[in-house]
Amino acid sequence: MSHLAGEVSAALAISLASACAQQGAPPGGPEDLRPPVVVQTVPDTFELVETFDGLIRFEFDERISERAGSGTLDDAVIISPRTGEVLIGHNSRSLTVELVGGFLPDLVYRVTLLPVVRDLFGNEMRDPFELVFSTGAETVPTTLAGIAWDRITGLGVNGYQVWAAPLNDDSVVHVAVTDNQGVYAFRYIPGGSYEITAFDDRNADALLDVMEIQGSTRLSIEDGDTLFLNFPVLQPDTTPATLVSAVPLDSVTLLFEFDDYLDPALMLETIGLTVTSEDSADVVLESILHEHEYVAYVEMVMDSLVVLDSLDTVAEAAAIAAASATVVEPDSAIADSVITDAGVSPEDPETLPDSEAVRRRGPPDLDGRSISPPSRGVGPISDGGRQVKGPDGEQLPARRIVVLLEEPLVPSITYQLVVSGLENLYGLPLGGGETSVALEPTAIADTAAVPDSIPVPDTGVVDTALVGVGR
């Protein structure tokens, strides 16, 4: 019996020990959904510590995990200005931060704890926590902030390093990191002139490598000022833009596409572009347009066609009304004229025109579809995942340009296209290439074959007829 009791006691002890070792909420207790919260720091916020060579400490209100929500805890803290290597230590309810070489005197340090720390139940900090203290300098509320954004997509970039390097001193670099909207902020930064650089630290070495996505700008800020500055980043490039395709959208419109993005501010009149027929005759170019310029051109033309079609509809309705009214005076010479012009047979005066008005057709969109005013909602741009503009209204780049010709291409004739002297978005010159195109005889609806206007009834005759009705 005692032997059995001993076995039961041992089993119970093992079970209790196992239960204590498991991390989780007490059985039957409320589920823990609250993230860890910093309740104390050493040094204290805005504390003046003229000589500080100890450890920074973040104390939490509960036990924290050794695992970060993303990355590692070694990347959880950013110290600005950066004056040495940062080492992170983990305790059950705290993180310690050591700056190799110690904290330099006469500086304002900003220590940012990123929201990657989580508790034992996986609840992660919702927002960054910022500690500001001084080793002798005055804490002046000077703020520099803005958005680092992708020059191609127009979207803010997440997790990019942002450096503010004084132009008169290379030894002290202020550091920030962008959030998921691309927003960065330097608070309590000394007034002065800086070069601001944002980059994607892909290899996590805290160094700006030549081929990492990056962007920079320069500025000056006074003590106590608040300055907002947005600037783009771009993948460095080593090769010029190369022509990959050219297609006719119709007989007077050619679409060229390159393997690289082009600066939307580039003056396309400066590049070399020729269209040559089989008999070596050059086709005269009317204009060379960026993609966004062609989109604006199409919209302008479509707006004009909407107005013209509306005027045609009004004139047609007036003519039909006049023709209907003159039926009461079939012997009138004026009424006969109106009936004839309006399409009503004198032998059958009750017959009225029953035909749908011919709608003008506008320029093709970038997919080669010929569009008319009722279908102008079909957007010419079909490049998904991009904003329309940058944060400050900047025009985004494209890989395509459109060439308008003064004379239509002849179907079934092969034309040689040559582009030269093209500069890509990164500023590399000598881009271009050559290809050939041939217009299919009936494959493309041709805006060049559409008349500029449709027959409109003579308003003078209509007016006279209306006067005659009132006699």
Side-chain angles (χ1 to χ4, degrees):
M1 183 69 177
S2 60
H3 177 70
L4 179 60
E7 289 181 350
V8 171
S9 300
L12 180 61
I14 293 174
S15 175
L16 291 174
S18 176
C20 293
Q22 294 177 357
Q23 297 176 359
E31 183 180 3
D32 185 355
L33 299 177
R34 184 173 176 273
V37 176
V38 177
V39 293
Q40 186 177 1
T41 63
V42 177
D44 200 358
T45 302
F46 296 115
E47 183 176 349
L48 173 61
V49 187
E50 295 187 356
T51 302
F52 183 68
D53 55 4
L55 300 179
I56 294 175
R57 181 180 295 273
F58 293 96
E59 297 282 351
F60 294 88
D61 62 343
E62 61 178 318
R63 296 175 62 188
I64 58 174
S65 173
E66 296 180 359
R67 297 181 179 180
S70 60
T72 67
L73 289 181
D74 291 335
D75 305 318
V77 175
I78 298 173
I79 296 182
S80 179
R82 176 174 292 162
T83 57
E85 183 183 359
V86 178
L87 302 178
I88 307 297
H90 173 271
N91 297 305
S92 62
R93 289 177 174 264
S94 66
L95 287 180
T96 59
V97 183
E98 178 185 359
L99 186 63
V100 177
F103 294 88
L104 301 182
D106 298 322
L107 291 176
V108 174
Y109 279 95
R110 183 171 53 92
V111 184
T112 304
L113 178 61
L114 300 178
V116 297
V117 178
R118 58 184 181 178
D119 62 17
L120 301 182
F121 304 100
N123 301 309
E124 192 169 288
M125 292 176 60
R126 295 191 179 98
D127 301 299
F129 183 90
E130 190 171 85
L131 166 65
V132 176
F133 69 95
S134 171
T135 58
E138 182 181 1
T139 53
V140 179
T142 307
T143 301
L144 168 61
I147 298 174
W149 57 282
D150 190 309
R151 185 68 182 90
I152 305 299
T153 66
L155 301 173
V157 293
N158 181 30
Y160 277 45
Q161 292 267 334
V162 184
W163 292 358
L167 295 179
N168 58 355
D169 184 2
D170 295 332
S171 61
V172 175
V173 176
H174 300 267
V175 182
V177 174
T178 61
D179 65 11
N180 57 9
Q181 299 297 316
V183 176
Y184 69 92
F186 295 96
R187 299 197 308 139
Y188 301 96
I189 188 173
S193 297
Y194 293 90
E195 180 169 17
I196 310 298
T197 302
F199 66 99
D200 183 12
D201 190 17
R202 294 175 180 172
N203 54 9
D205 63 353
L207 297 174
L208 175 58
D209 298 329
V210 174
M211 294 306 295
E212 289 177 332
I213 300 175
Q214 57 191 270
S216 64
T217 187
R218 292 187 175 189
L219 58 86
S220 295
I221 186 171
E222 300 292 333
D223 285 331
D225 283 354
T226 297
L227 179 62
F228 294 95
L229 177 68
N230 303 328
F231 64 100
V233 297
L234 182 65
Q235 174 68 60
D237 200 354
T238 58
T239 57
T242 301
L243 178 65
V244 294
S245 68
V247 295
L249 300 180
D250 65 10
S251 69
V252 292
T253 313
L254 295 174
L255 177 66
F256 291 74
E257 184 167 357
F258 301 87
D259 67 348
D260 207 346
Y261 286 92
L262 309 179
D263 188 343
L266 175 66
M267 301 296 293
L268 293 178
E269 294 81 1
T270 63
I271 71 173
L273 198 155
T274 59
V275 180
T276 309
S277 64
E278 292 176 348
D279 58 1
S280 301
D282 287 339
V283 179
V284 180
L285 310 184
E286 179 180 321
S287 57
I288 308 175
L289 304 175
H290 285 284
E291 183 176 290
H292 73 275
E293 293 173 332
Y294 182 72
V295 170
Y297 162 74
V298 170
E299 291 178 348
M300 178 188 67
V301 173
M302 297 308 298
D303 286 340
S304 299
L305 295 185
V306 168
V307 174
L308 290 174
D309 284 347
S310 298
L311 293 175
D312 290 346
T313 301
V314 172
E316 181 183 354
I320 294 174
S324 301
T326 56
V327 171
V328 298
E329 294 184 315
D331 295 333
S332 169
I334 295 177
D336 290 343
S337 173
V338 172
I339 291 171
T340 303
D341 288 342
V344 180
S345 172
E347 290 79 12
D348 188 8
E350 294 183 0
T351 303
L352 297 177
D354 188 20
S355 61
E356 185 178 351
V358 177
R359 295 297 180 188
R360 296 172 176 84
R361 187 165 64 247
D365 65 11
L366 291 174
D367 293 321
R369 295 186 295 261
S370 181
I371 52 179
S372 56
S375 62
R376 65 168 302 190
V378 179
I381 290 183
S382 56
D383 194 357
R386 305 208 314 159
Q387 300 280 77
V388 177
K389 301 281 187 178
D392 295 318
E394 298 89 348
Q395 184 63 55
L396 298 183
R399 288 193 289 231
R400 300 183 290 187
I401 63 175
V402 178
V403 176
L404 303 181
L405 308 176
E406 286 195 0
E407 53 191 81
L409 301 178
V410 178
S412 302
I413 298 295
T414 300
Y415 291 84
Q416 190 71 17
L417 314 178
V418 179
V419 181
S420 62
L422 187 66
E423 184 177 290
N424 70 1
L425 181 59
Y426 199 67
L428 293 176
L430 306 178
E434 60 181 86
T435 189
S436 60
V437 298
L439 184 69
E440 295 294 333
T442 58
I444 300 177
D446 197 349
T447 55
V450 178
D452 290 337
S453 61
I454 60 176
V456 179
D458 189 339
T459 55
V461 175
V462 174
D463 292 343
T464 306
L466 292 176
V467 172
V469 171
R471 287 202 301 252

